[in-house]
mmCIF file of all heavy atoms in Angstrom:
data_model
loop_
_atom_site.group_PDB
_atom_site.id
_atom_site.type_symbol
_atom_site.label_atom_id
_atom_site.label_comp_id
_atom_site.label_asym_id
_atom_site.label_seq_id
_atom_site.Cartn_x
_atom_site.Cartn_y
_atom_site.Cartn_z
ATOM 1 N N THR A 673 206.120 140.373 119.298
ATOM 2 C CA THR A 673 207.252 139.649 119.781
ATOM 3 C C THR A 673 207.031 138.151 119.971
ATOM 4 O O THR A 673 205.835 137.802 120.267
ATOM 5 C CB THR A 673 207.740 140.173 121.292
ATOM 6 O OG1 THR A 673 206.676 140.010 122.191
ATOM 7 C CG2 THR A 673 207.890 141.691 121.197
ATOM 8 N N PRO A 674 208.031 137.367 119.980
ATOM 9 C CA PRO A 674 207.834 135.936 120.153
ATOM 10 C C PRO A 674 207.096 135.525 121.363
ATOM 11 O O PRO A 674 206.250 134.682 121.446
ATOM 12 C CB PRO A 674 209.149 135.335 120.104
ATOM 13 C CG PRO A 674 209.945 136.244 119.215
ATOM 14 C CD PRO A 674 209.472 137.583 119.542
ATOM 15 N N ASP A 675 207.336 136.199 122.512
ATOM 16 C CA ASP A 675 206.676 135.961 123.686
ATOM 17 C C ASP A 675 205.234 136.281 123.813
ATOM 18 O O ASP A 675 204.526 135.675 124.561
ATOM 19 C CB ASP A 675 207.329 136.730 124.950
ATOM 20 C CG ASP A 675 208.705 136.155 125.366
ATOM 21 O OD1 ASP A 675 208.991 134.889 124.948
ATOM 22 O OD2 ASP A 675 209.404 136.734 126.085
ATOM 23 N N GLN A 676 204.754 137.072 122.794
ATOM 24 C CA GLN A 676 203.334 137.324 122.787
ATOM 25 C C GLN A 676 202.560 136.215 122.128
ATOM 26 O O GLN A 676 201.306 136.185 122.364
ATOM 27 C CB GLN A 676 203.046 138.697 121.920
ATOM 28 C CG GLN A 676 203.498 139.929 122.702
ATOM 29 C CD GLN A 676 203.337 141.132 121.851
ATOM 30 O OE1 GLN A 676 204.153 141.377 121.060
ATOM 31 N NE2 GLN A 676 202.383 141.896 122.112
ATOM 32 N N VAL A 677 203.158 135.309 121.459
ATOM 33 C CA VAL A 677 202.499 134.231 120.794
ATOM 34 C C VAL A 677 202.931 132.861 121.363
ATOM 35 O O VAL A 677 202.371 131.808 120.859
ATOM 36 C CB VAL A 677 202.775 134.354 119.221
ATOM 37 C CG1 VAL A 677 202.220 135.601 118.741
ATOM 38 C CG2 VAL A 677 204.167 133.996 118.877
ATOM 39 N N ARG A 678 203.929 132.771 122.275
ATOM 40 C CA ARG A 678 204.463 131.592 122.668
ATOM 41 C C ARG A 678 203.500 130.774 123.414
ATOM 42 O O ARG A 678 202.845 131.331 124.411
ATOM 43 C CB ARG A 678 205.752 131.863 123.602
ATOM 44 C CG ARG A 678 206.232 130.592 124.266
ATOM 45 C CD ARG A 678 207.369 131.066 125.284
ATOM 46 N NE ARG A 678 206.871 132.000 126.260
ATOM 47 C CZ ARG A 678 206.077 131.733 127.289
ATOM 48 N NH1 ARG A 678 205.737 130.473 127.595
ATOM 49 N NH2 ARG A 678 205.613 132.701 128.180
ATOM 50 N N PRO A 679 203.115 129.520 123.029
ATOM 51 C CA PRO A 679 202.264 128.755 123.848
ATOM 52 C C PRO A 679 202.873 128.105 125.077
ATOM 53 O O PRO A 679 204.144 127.943 125.037
ATOM 54 C CB PRO A 679 201.864 127.476 122.823
ATOM 55 C CG PRO A 679 203.041 127.463 121.871
ATOM 56 C CD PRO A 679 203.593 128.906 121.886
ATOM 57 N N ASP A 680 202.133 127.864 126.106
ATOM 58 C CA ASP A 680 202.624 127.258 127.367
ATOM 59 C C ASP A 680 202.429 125.730 127.286
ATOM 60 O O ASP A 680 202.971 124.990 128.129
ATOM 61 C CB ASP A 680 201.901 127.769 128.556
ATOM 62 C CG ASP A 680 202.025 129.357 128.650
ATOM 63 O OD1 ASP A 680 203.208 129.785 128.875
ATOM 64 O OD2 ASP A 680 201.039 130.002 128.693
ATOM 65 N N GLY A 681 201.665 125.260 126.343
ATOM 66 C CA GLY A 681 201.448 123.775 126.154
ATOM 67 C C GLY A 681 200.916 123.560 124.658
ATOM 68 O O GLY A 681 200.481 124.450 124.022
ATOM 69 N N ALA A 682 201.215 122.294 124.204
ATOM 70 C CA ALA A 682 200.677 122.011 122.855
ATOM 71 C C ALA A 682 199.948 120.557 122.929
ATOM 72 O O ALA A 682 200.396 119.811 123.701
ATOM 73 C CB ALA A 682 201.799 121.861 121.854
ATOM 74 N N ILE A 683 198.903 120.559 122.275
ATOM 75 C CA ILE A 683 198.046 119.302 122.216
ATOM 76 C C ILE A 683 197.880 118.907 120.664
ATOM 77 O O ILE A 683 197.211 119.574 119.974
ATOM 78 C CB ILE A 683 196.689 119.512 122.817
ATOM 79 C CG1 ILE A 683 196.914 120.023 124.364
ATOM 80 C CG2 ILE A 683 195.862 118.211 122.831
ATOM 81 C CD1 ILE A 683 195.593 120.582 124.870
ATOM 82 N N LEU A 684 198.560 117.868 120.383
ATOM 83 C CA LEU A 684 198.539 117.431 119.004
ATOM 84 C C LEU A 684 197.852 116.075 118.867
ATOM 85 O O LEU A 684 198.230 115.035 119.289
ATOM 86 C CB LEU A 684 199.876 117.282 118.338
ATOM 87 C CG LEU A 684 200.828 118.493 118.559
ATOM 88 C CD1 LEU A 684 202.148 118.304 117.870
ATOM 89 C CD2 LEU A 684 200.135 119.786 118.171
ATOM 90 N N SER A 685 196.588 116.049 118.142
ATOM 91 C CA SER A 685 195.751 114.994 117.872
ATOM 92 C C SER A 685 195.941 114.484 116.569
ATOM 93 O O SER A 685 195.695 115.134 115.483
ATOM 94 C CB SER A 685 194.312 115.324 118.155
ATOM 95 O OG SER A 685 194.166 115.928 119.345
ATOM 96 N N TYR A 686 196.445 113.100 116.425
ATOM 97 C CA TYR A 686 196.804 112.601 115.118
ATOM 98 C C TYR A 686 197.224 113.558 114.025
ATOM 99 O O TYR A 686 196.800 113.690 113.007
ATOM 100 C CB TYR A 686 195.560 111.587 114.548
ATOM 101 C CG TYR A 686 194.138 112.399 114.673
ATOM 102 C CD1 TYR A 686 193.662 113.362 113.663
ATOM 103 C CD2 TYR A 686 193.359 112.129 115.758
ATOM 104 C CE1 TYR A 686 192.465 113.877 113.730
ATOM 105 C CE2 TYR A 686 192.051 112.703 115.915
ATOM 106 C CZ TYR A 686 191.621 113.556 114.854
ATOM 107 O OH TYR A 686 190.403 114.172 115.000
ATOM 108 N N PRO A 687 198.377 114.193 114.427
ATOM 109 C CA PRO A 687 198.839 115.354 113.592
ATOM 110 C C PRO A 687 199.593 115.037 112.325
ATOM 111 O O PRO A 687 200.234 113.954 112.359
ATOM 112 C CB PRO A 687 199.778 116.039 114.525
ATOM 113 C CG PRO A 687 200.307 114.978 115.492
ATOM 114 C CD PRO A 687 199.227 114.092 115.710
ATOM 115 N N VAL A 688 199.453 115.795 111.297
ATOM 116 C CA VAL A 688 200.423 115.767 110.191
ATOM 117 C C VAL A 688 201.752 116.265 110.712
ATOM 118 O O VAL A 688 201.701 117.414 111.275
ATOM 119 C CB VAL A 688 199.931 116.566 108.988
ATOM 120 C CG1 VAL A 688 200.986 116.475 107.887
ATOM 121 C CG2 VAL A 688 198.566 115.923 108.445
ATOM 122 N N ILE A 689 202.772 115.594 110.584
ATOM 123 C CA ILE A 689 204.105 116.053 111.133
ATOM 124 C C ILE A 689 205.168 116.121 110.021
ATOM 125 O O ILE A 689 205.938 117.168 109.940
ATOM 126 C CB ILE A 689 204.600 115.166 112.336
ATOM 127 C CG1 ILE A 689 203.659 115.173 113.480
ATOM 128 C CG2 ILE A 689 206.031 115.503 112.637
ATOM 129 C CD1 ILE A 689 203.626 116.682 114.135
ATOM 130 N N SER A 690 205.369 115.055 109.223
ATOM 131 C CA SER A 690 206.505 114.874 108.431
ATOM 132 C C SER A 690 206.179 115.041 107.002
ATOM 133 O O SER A 690 205.191 114.560 106.429
ATOM 134 C CB SER A 690 207.093 113.516 108.819
ATOM 135 O OG SER A 690 208.261 113.313 107.935
ATOM 136 N N ALA A 691 207.227 115.673 106.229
ATOM 137 C CA ALA A 691 207.014 115.702 104.828
ATOM 138 C C ALA A 691 207.773 114.646 104.081
ATOM 139 O O ALA A 691 207.766 114.599 102.784
ATOM 140 C CB ALA A 691 207.565 117.008 104.336
ATOM 141 N N ARG A 692 208.262 113.647 104.771
ATOM 142 C CA ARG A 692 209.027 112.550 104.134
ATOM 143 C C ARG A 692 208.013 111.772 103.286
ATOM 144 O O ARG A 692 206.884 111.367 103.629
ATOM 145 C CB ARG A 692 209.577 111.641 105.195
ATOM 146 C CG ARG A 692 210.668 112.286 106.012
ATOM 147 C CD ARG A 692 211.372 111.217 106.914
ATOM 148 N NE ARG A 692 212.412 112.083 107.682
ATOM 149 C CZ ARG A 692 213.296 111.497 108.430
ATOM 150 N NH1 ARG A 692 213.366 110.103 108.535
ATOM 151 N NH2 ARG A 692 214.160 112.135 109.233
ATOM 152 N N PRO A 693 208.380 111.504 101.944
ATOM 153 C CA PRO A 693 207.392 110.979 101.005
ATOM 154 C C PRO A 693 206.811 109.672 101.440
ATOM 155 O O PRO A 693 205.629 109.328 101.206
ATOM 156 C CB PRO A 693 208.413 110.726 99.744
ATOM 157 C CG PRO A 693 209.423 111.778 99.942
ATOM 158 C CD PRO A 693 209.717 111.906 101.369
ATOM 159 N N GLU A 694 207.644 108.813 102.174
ATOM 160 C CA GLU A 694 207.066 107.619 102.574
ATOM 161 C C GLU A 694 205.960 107.557 103.580
ATOM 162 O O GLU A 694 205.290 106.625 103.822
ATOM 163 C CB GLU A 694 208.178 106.538 103.119
ATOM 164 C CG GLU A 694 208.776 107.139 104.465
ATOM 165 C CD GLU A 694 209.978 108.047 104.347
ATOM 166 O OE1 GLU A 694 210.094 108.705 103.172
ATOM 167 O OE2 GLU A 694 210.855 108.119 105.292
ATOM 168 N N LEU A 695 205.821 108.824 104.111
ATOM 169 C CA LEU A 695 204.611 108.966 105.207
ATOM 170 C C LEU A 695 203.338 109.499 104.519
ATOM 171 O O LEU A 695 202.444 109.857 105.187
ATOM 172 C CB LEU A 695 205.022 109.775 106.345
ATOM 173 C CG LEU A 695 206.153 109.108 107.177
ATOM 174 C CD1 LEU A 695 206.540 109.989 108.410
ATOM 175 C CD2 LEU A 695 205.720 107.777 107.662
ATOM 176 N N GLY A 696 203.368 109.800 103.254
ATOM 177 C CA GLY A 696 202.152 110.019 102.503
ATOM 178 C C GLY A 696 201.397 111.342 102.640
ATOM 179 O O GLY A 696 200.169 111.404 102.284
ATOM 180 N N MET A 697 202.086 112.435 103.100
ATOM 181 C CA MET A 697 201.385 113.559 103.221
ATOM 182 C C MET A 697 201.669 114.740 102.207
ATOM 183 O O MET A 697 201.533 115.840 102.425
ATOM 184 C CB MET A 697 201.678 114.170 104.666
ATOM 185 C CG MET A 697 201.066 113.443 105.747
ATOM 186 S SD MET A 697 199.192 113.487 105.737
ATOM 187 C CE MET A 697 198.881 111.769 105.257
ATOM 188 N N GLU A 698 202.204 114.186 101.056
ATOM 189 C CA GLU A 698 202.498 115.285 99.920
ATOM 190 C C GLU A 698 201.229 116.068 99.589
ATOM 191 O O GLU A 698 201.317 117.253 99.376
ATOM 192 C CB GLU A 698 203.004 114.462 98.765
ATOM 193 C CG GLU A 698 203.269 115.266 97.526
ATOM 194 C CD GLU A 698 204.660 115.988 97.649
ATOM 195 O OE1 GLU A 698 205.392 115.701 98.535
ATOM 196 O OE2 GLU A 698 204.857 116.794 96.717
ATOM 197 N N PRO A 699 200.091 115.459 99.477
ATOM 198 C CA PRO A 699 198.918 116.370 99.046
ATOM 199 C C PRO A 699 198.618 117.370 100.040
ATOM 200 O O PRO A 699 198.235 118.592 99.687
ATOM 201 C CB PRO A 699 197.799 115.491 98.870
ATOM 202 C CG PRO A 699 198.389 114.025 98.657
ATOM 203 C CD PRO A 699 199.697 114.117 99.471
ATOM 204 N N CYS A 700 198.716 117.066 101.242
ATOM 205 C CA CYS A 700 198.490 118.144 102.295
ATOM 206 C C CYS A 700 199.517 119.258 102.260
ATOM 207 O O CYS A 700 199.151 120.464 102.377
ATOM 208 C CB CYS A 700 198.563 117.406 103.817
ATOM 209 S SG CYS A 700 198.119 118.668 105.071
ATOM 210 N N TYR A 701 200.781 118.877 102.142
ATOM 211 C CA TYR A 701 201.751 119.906 101.945
ATOM 212 C C TYR A 701 201.648 120.735 100.744
ATOM 213 O O TYR A 701 201.852 121.990 100.759
ATOM 214 C CB TYR A 701 203.141 119.289 101.993
ATOM 215 C CG TYR A 701 203.635 118.966 103.457
ATOM 216 C CD1 TYR A 701 203.500 117.730 104.086
ATOM 217 C CD2 TYR A 701 204.318 120.031 104.192
ATOM 218 C CE1 TYR A 701 203.879 117.545 105.368
ATOM 219 C CE2 TYR A 701 204.775 119.660 105.591
ATOM 220 C CZ TYR A 701 204.562 118.513 106.047
ATOM 221 O OH TYR A 701 204.960 118.301 107.355
ATOM 222 N N ARG A 702 201.170 120.171 99.651
ATOM 223 C CA ARG A 702 201.059 120.893 98.342
ATOM 224 C C ARG A 702 199.935 121.944 98.577
ATOM 225 O O ARG A 702 199.887 122.999 97.992
ATOM 226 C CB ARG A 702 200.829 119.943 97.219
ATOM 227 C CG ARG A 702 202.106 119.306 96.855
ATOM 228 C CD ARG A 702 203.027 120.190 96.004
ATOM 229 N NE ARG A 702 204.411 119.673 96.315
ATOM 230 C CZ ARG A 702 205.310 120.408 96.871
ATOM 231 N NH1 ARG A 702 205.125 121.733 97.287
ATOM 232 N NH2 ARG A 702 206.475 120.013 97.056
ATOM 233 N N THR A 703 198.731 121.398 99.244
ATOM 234 C CA THR A 703 197.699 122.399 99.453
ATOM 235 C C THR A 703 198.190 123.533 100.345
ATOM 236 O O THR A 703 197.775 124.654 100.116
ATOM 237 C CB THR A 703 196.560 121.685 100.207
ATOM 238 O OG1 THR A 703 196.118 120.596 99.383
ATOM 239 C CG2 THR A 703 195.405 122.582 100.523
ATOM 240 N N LEU A 704 199.005 123.238 101.379
ATOM 241 C CA LEU A 704 199.489 124.351 102.149
ATOM 242 C C LEU A 704 200.466 125.253 101.464
ATOM 243 O O LEU A 704 200.427 126.561 101.638
ATOM 244 C CB LEU A 704 200.225 123.729 103.380
ATOM 245 C CG LEU A 704 200.970 124.711 104.368
ATOM 246 C CD1 LEU A 704 200.038 125.660 104.972
ATOM 247 C CD2 LEU A 704 201.729 123.829 105.412
ATOM 248 N N LEU A 705 201.413 124.720 100.567
ATOM 249 C CA LEU A 705 202.453 125.479 100.005
ATOM 250 C C LEU A 705 202.301 125.856 98.609
ATOM 251 O O LEU A 705 203.028 126.811 98.038
ATOM 252 C CB LEU A 705 203.722 124.673 100.245
ATOM 253 C CG LEU A 705 204.169 124.528 101.769
ATOM 254 C CD1 LEU A 705 205.270 123.418 101.777
ATOM 255 C CD2 LEU A 705 204.672 125.664 102.387
ATOM 256 N N GLY A 706 201.520 125.103 97.807
ATOM 257 C CA GLY A 706 201.588 125.285 96.482
ATOM 258 C C GLY A 706 202.839 124.460 95.764
ATOM 259 O O GLY A 706 203.544 123.770 96.562
ATOM 260 N N PRO A 707 203.213 124.780 94.556
ATOM 261 C CA PRO A 707 204.390 124.139 94.040
ATOM 262 C C PRO A 707 205.742 124.632 94.637
ATOM 263 O O PRO A 707 205.764 125.709 95.271
ATOM 264 C CB PRO A 707 204.279 124.542 92.440
ATOM 265 C CG PRO A 707 203.532 125.784 92.519
ATOM 266 C CD PRO A 707 202.607 125.665 93.714
ATOM 267 N N GLY A 708 206.730 123.917 94.529
ATOM 268 C CA GLY A 708 208.002 124.347 94.964
ATOM 269 C C GLY A 708 208.497 123.401 96.007
ATOM 270 O O GLY A 708 207.739 122.598 96.531
ATOM 271 N N PRO A 709 209.628 123.679 96.558
ATOM 272 C CA PRO A 709 210.225 122.863 97.711
ATOM 273 C C PRO A 709 209.508 123.132 99.032
ATOM 274 O O PRO A 709 209.078 124.147 99.269
ATOM 275 C CB PRO A 709 211.700 123.418 97.751
ATOM 276 C CG PRO A 709 211.651 124.812 97.174
ATOM 277 C CD PRO A 709 210.597 124.812 96.154
ATOM 278 N N ILE A 710 209.552 122.179 99.820
ATOM 279 C CA ILE A 710 208.997 122.196 101.204
ATOM 280 C C ILE A 710 210.035 122.770 102.174
ATOM 281 O O ILE A 710 211.128 122.125 102.245
ATOM 282 C CB ILE A 710 208.439 120.876 101.610
ATOM 283 C CG1 ILE A 710 207.468 120.384 100.677
ATOM 284 C CG2 ILE A 710 207.991 120.909 103.124
ATOM 285 C CD1 ILE A 710 206.981 118.958 100.895
ATOM 286 N N PRO A 711 209.768 123.866 102.809
ATOM 287 C CA PRO A 711 210.781 124.380 103.785
ATOM 288 C C PRO A 711 211.058 123.377 104.917
ATOM 289 O O PRO A 711 210.126 122.713 105.340
ATOM 290 C CB PRO A 711 210.088 125.643 104.338
ATOM 291 C CG PRO A 711 209.115 126.000 103.403
ATOM 292 C CD PRO A 711 208.597 124.735 102.637
ATOM 293 N N PRO A 712 212.309 123.005 105.053
ATOM 294 C CA PRO A 712 212.713 121.928 106.061
ATOM 295 C C PRO A 712 211.941 122.067 107.375
ATOM 296 O O PRO A 712 211.540 121.036 108.042
ATOM 297 C CB PRO A 712 214.114 122.042 106.137
ATOM 298 C CG PRO A 712 214.617 122.786 105.002
ATOM 299 C CD PRO A 712 213.563 123.752 104.599
ATOM 300 N N GLU A 713 211.783 123.341 107.859
ATOM 301 C CA GLU A 713 211.204 123.477 109.207
ATOM 302 C C GLU A 713 209.677 123.139 109.226
ATOM 303 O O GLU A 713 209.138 122.869 110.362
ATOM 304 C CB GLU A 713 211.354 124.908 109.724
ATOM 305 C CG GLU A 713 210.556 125.968 108.856
ATOM 306 C CD GLU A 713 211.410 126.508 107.734
ATOM 307 O OE1 GLU A 713 212.310 125.933 107.333
ATOM 308 O OE2 GLU A 713 210.946 127.633 107.170
ATOM 309 N N LEU A 714 209.122 122.987 108.185
ATOM 310 C CA LEU A 714 207.692 122.503 108.114
ATOM 311 C C LEU A 714 207.520 121.013 108.137
ATOM 312 O O LEU A 714 206.345 120.611 108.303
ATOM 313 C CB LEU A 714 206.913 123.159 106.950
ATOM 314 C CG LEU A 714 206.822 124.626 106.804
ATOM 315 C CD1 LEU A 714 205.982 125.098 105.748
ATOM 316 C CD2 LEU A 714 206.479 125.184 108.204
ATOM 317 N N SER A 715 208.561 120.339 108.097
ATOM 318 C CA SER A 715 208.587 118.879 108.446
ATOM 319 C C SER A 715 208.893 118.834 109.934
ATOM 320 O O SER A 715 210.116 118.980 110.235
ATOM 321 C CB SER A 715 209.651 118.108 107.534
ATOM 322 O OG SER A 715 209.391 116.754 107.798
#
């Protein structure tokens, strides 16, 4: 169930966040996803 995995806090250190091309993380997303469109929720 979602409640079994829900975090009570999140700590993000210099995180990759956005798939927008101008922010330069295309290689990271391609490694994660392979070819094809990037699901919007992963930005």
Side-chain angles (χ1 to χ4, degrees):
T673 66
D675 282 348
Q676 288 175 283
V677 303
R678 176 187 53 80
D680 300 304
I683 302 160
L684 307 186
S685 303
Y686 41 86
V688 174
I689 294 295
S690 182
R692 295 188 182 188
E694 66 270 21
L695 293 183
M697 288 296 108
E698 178 78 8
C700 184
Y701 277 94
R702 286 292 148 235
T703 301
L704 173 63
L705 295 166
I710 298 172
E713 66 271 17
L714 297 189
S715 192

